[in-house]
Amino acid sequence: MTTTWTTAAVPLGDRAEALRQTIRQQVVPVELVLPRQPEQVHADVTITDIGPLQVSSVRANPAAVHRTARLARADDEPVLFISLQVSGESTVIQDGRSAVLHPGNIAFYDTRRPYTLLFDRGVDMHFFRIPVRELALPDEVLGQAVARTPGAEGAVPDLVTGYLTRLAATRGLLDGTAARLLAAPSMELVRALIAAESDRPSLAAEPLHETLGVRILAYLRTHLADQDLTPARVAAAHHISVRHLYAVLARSGVGFGDWVRTQRLDACRRELSRVPPTTETIADLAHRWGFKSPSHFSRAFKAAYGLPPQAWRDLRHLP
């Protein structure tokens, strides 16, 4: 699915805030610094979802983008971005490093840590957003990739850059079936580039299907508190059947319902043990961690830890 948005359709005085909201809500929560004069705020944005991969193309006047420490701590899904420079120049800054991009260059950045993007001469970019769980790479490998331009002389960077350029140019021609089919190989190609540029290039030889169990568990941990965390939802997020989901988890010795319940109970136990104690009610805590009713939560908690939740909280905070 492709959506387009332009400041030309927005009253002059509302353009800056409308652009900020579009980027925050449809791409990623960031602080966007724009020209002070309303007449200097111009932007055209095209956003396409290709399965879990999102492609955004932006042409705009000079701007700066900041993913602050507060936003990086937010409870949204971890994402790796790829910036692909179309024309002009930009800078990606993260983890104490900076990469200057010229036409045809790419650079990575990770939403779990603060970053800055500088577009002093205007924006003409493609941005590719990939959930970290889909790449199934160690955090230290992803950390090595951010704010660097991959080796210009290598065959893999050249192949990936060419592919992403073509994908961005033709994505409007993809129907739903083609988009779903292209998502996995697109991300596997990116995964190969990151691994090849790291100090662990052997990771590039591990197919994504071999890390499916790791990615599923990472997804479960990320969405553990969601009320609608069901096998059907998890299977759909990984483009597999529910039956296949159960089989993959079984190979790791994991039962879906038992694992989710145990992890949620452990999260609640840790919160009930906090010093000083929170003022949150037991019912609110249970609801926040995905339990459908306080009574069900209390029974499950007592069965796991031998005490009802309120008694556990009281015991941990005796003077």
Side-chain angles (χ1 to χ4, degrees), residues 252-274:
S252 300
V254 172
F256 184 93
D258 289 342
W259 189 93
V260 170
R261 182 172 57 256
T262 298
Q263 296 298 316
R264 284 174 171 173
L265 286 171
D266 187 57
C268 291
R269 178 189 60 79
R270 292 195 302 272
E271 295 205 27
L272 290 170
S273 302
R274 283 186 179 179

Side-chain angles (χ1 to χ4, degrees), residues 112-150:
R112 293 174 293 181
R113 299 184 302 284
Y115 62 75
T116 293
L117 311 179
L118 301 177
F119 306 101
D120 295 337
R121 302 178 186 176
V123 185
D124 190 7
M125 307 283 296
H126 299 308
F127 302 93
F128 302 83
R129 189 183 75 180
I130 303 177
V132 167
R133 60 180 169 82
E134 296 290 342
L135 294 169
L137 287 170
D139 288 347
E140 61 268 24
V141 170
L142 295 178
Q144 292 173 20
V146 301
R148 299 184 191 275
T149 52

Side-chain angles (χ1 to χ4, degrees), residues 7-119:
T7 52
V10 180
L12 192 65
D14 299 332
R15 289 180 179 179
E17 185 57 26
L19 177 57
R20 290 189 178 99
Q21 290 301 320
T22 297
I23 299 302
R24 289 171 186 165
Q25 295 174 7
Q26 299 191 40
V27 183
V28 63
V30 290
E31 298 295 336
L32 189 58
V33 180
L34 299 169
R36 293 184 178 182
Q37 294 76 17
E39 64 275 10
Q40 294 183 4
V41 179
H42 300 286
D44 296 306
V45 182
T46 302
I47 302 172
T48 304
D49 292 321
I50 304 176
L53 170 67
Q54 183 190 80
V55 184
S56 303
S57 298
V58 181
R59 297 191 68 181
N61 277 22
V65 175
H66 302 288
R67 176 80 169 175
T68 64
R70 178 183 61 83
L71 290 172
R73 291 193 299 268
D75 189 26
D76 48 350
E77 182 171 34
V79 169
L80 188 76
F81 272 93
I82 309 169
S83 285
L84 170 57
Q85 193 78 32
V86 178
S87 68
E89 181 180 291
S90 67
T91 304
V92 175
I93 303 170
Q94 188 168 46
D95 293 353
R97 298 193 297 269
S98 63
V100 178
L101 276 63
H102 301 285
N105 290 156
I106 63 173
F108 299 93
Y109 48 99
D110 189 324
T111 61
R112 293 174 293 181
R113 299 184 302 284
Y115 62 75
T116 293
L117 311 179
L118 301 177
F119 306 101

Side-chain angles (χ1 to χ4, degrees), residues 167-313:
L167 180 64
T170 60
R171 66 186 189 269
L173 304 177
L174 301 175
D175 60 20
T177 300
R180 288 192 297 273
L181 292 173
L182 279 176
S186 298
M187 291 182 291
E188 191 158 0
L189 191 60
V190 171
R191 182 177 185 271
L193 171 59
I194 295 172
E197 293 279 312
S198 75
D199 59 5
R200 297 173 61 183
S202 61
L203 290 171
E206 299 177 7
L208 280 177
H209 71 83
E210 292 186 5
T211 61
L212 181 58
V214 174
R215 288 185 285 129
I216 289 173
L217 288 175
Y219 182 92
L220 290 176
R221 292 188 181 96
T222 299
H223 297 278
L224 187 61
D226 294 358
Q227 291 280 344
D228 61 345
L229 184 63
T230 63
R233 173 187 165 185
V234 177
H238 293 83
H239 311 291
I240 58 176
S241 67
V242 172
R243 183 177 180 180
H244 190 191
L245 169 70
Y246 284 133
V248 171
L249 291 175
R251 286 198 293 270
S252 300
V254 172
F256 184 93
D258 289 342
W259 189 93
V260 170
R261 182 172 57 256
T262 298
Q263 296 298 316
R264 284 174 171 173
L265 286 171
D266 187 57
C268 291
R269 178 189 60 79
R270 292 195 302 272
E271 295 205 27
L272 290 170
S273 302
R274 283 186 179 179
V275 178
T278 66
T279 58
E280 186 176 29
T281 67
I282 299 298
D284 287 344
L285 176 67
H287 183 267
R288 182 161 61 83
W289 280 102
F291 289 95
K292 297 187 181 300
S293 73
S295 58
H296 173 253
F297 167 63
S298 292
R299 289 193 299 270
F301 192 94
K302 183 176 181 180
Y305 303 112
L307 290 173
Q310 187 61 57
W312 181 278
R313 172 186 271 172

Side-chain angles (χ1 to χ4, degrees), residues 152-166:
E153 303 301 322
V156 177
D158 185 60
L159 176 64
V160 173
T161 301
Y163 174 82
L164 293 178
T165 301
R166 183 67 175 167

